[in-house]
Amino acid sequence: MTSIAQRFSVGLTGGIGSGKSTVADLFGELGASLVDTDAIAHQLTAPGGLAIDSIRDRFGAGFIDARGAMDRARMRSHVFGNPAARQALEAILHPLIRSETIRAAEAATGDYVIFVVPLLVESGNWVGRTSRILVVDCEEEVQIARVMQRNGLQRGEVEAIMAAQASRPARLAVADDVIENNGTAADLLPRVRELHAVYLELARAA
């Protein structure tokens, strides 16, 4: 599959609670351009978003809230355990996410582009579309503790989310680079700087 960006790019992923956003922000501070597919999905389903009319047509006005945004809680409940509904939603969102991702990458002015893709492995269509894949990895107990504290969820709820995501071995199997994040945000900076230097060299050679 052809690259999603014409210049050097990195696909960044990791499980829930792994610290993807923290790592991405550190790269951004060093000069990388960030393209976050989750943020794009939120924009598409916000009031006036490009996906709203199609969602209303397919699922009904009850899935649009009073602000004119997709009712995320109701949609999440509706598609959970309903493959047909999930596929219908994905058929609306995925092409729009792809086109907006390409547009954002083409407009990027940083040293190189980092695509932040939480479901990079699960989607099955990102491998080969970026120059390298970077996985943020941590112990599962660390993930669980972080998400429980951050989101106020019970352990069983976090474990259910993790079970629906790709496994650690599956993510690591596609990784060109790995950042271990079992500690604090400050612990990440030396490894981020190291990889940033590598990516700069690769970007200049591209």
Side-chain angles (χ1 to χ4, degrees), residues 17 19-20 22 27 30 50 63 76 97 107 109 112 115 164 167 181 189-190 199 201 204:
K20 295 181 298 295
T22 300
F27 276 104
L30 292 174
L50 294 175
F63 285 88
R76 190 181 304 114
I97 291 171
T109 58
Y112 54 91
F115 297 99
S167 65
N181 184 24
L189 195 51
Y199 295 158
E201 287 298 317
R204 287 166 183 155

Side-chain angles (χ1 to χ4, degrees), residues 59-125:
F59 294 96
F63 285 88
I64 308 300
D65 66 20
R67 299 179 303 116
M70 182 180 76
D71 187 329
R72 299 182 68 83
R74 182 171 184 186
M75 184 63 78
R76 190 181 304 114
S77 175
H78 180 62
V79 302
F80 184 78
N82 186 338
R86 186 180 71 251
Q87 289 167 8
L89 180 62
E90 290 173 350
I92 293 170
L93 291 179
H94 285 185
L96 291 172
I97 291 171
R98 181 181 175 88
S99 61
E100 288 299 293
T101 297
I102 293 171
R103 185 194 60 76
E106 289 174 343
T109 58
D111 297 315
Y112 54 91
V113 178
I114 289 186
F115 297 99
V116 186
V117 190
L119 300 181
L120 183 148
V121 177
E122 294 86 342
S123 69
N125 61 5

Side-chain angles (χ1 to χ4, degrees), residues 169-183:
R171 279 191 295 269
L172 292 171
V174 303
D176 296 296
D177 305 298
V178 177
I179 292 180
E180 293 184 4
N181 184 24
N182 291 306

Side-chain angles (χ1 to χ4, degrees), residues 16-17 138-149 155 158-159 162 168 181-182:
I16 188 172
C138 68
E139 299 292 336
E140 291 184 354
E141 284 301 319
V142 174
Q143 282 182 266
I144 293 168
R146 283 176 180 159
V147 179
M148 287 176 66
Q149 181 178 26
R155 182 184 182 93
V158 182
E159 289 175 338
M162 290 170 60
R168 285 181 71 195
N181 184 24
N182 291 306

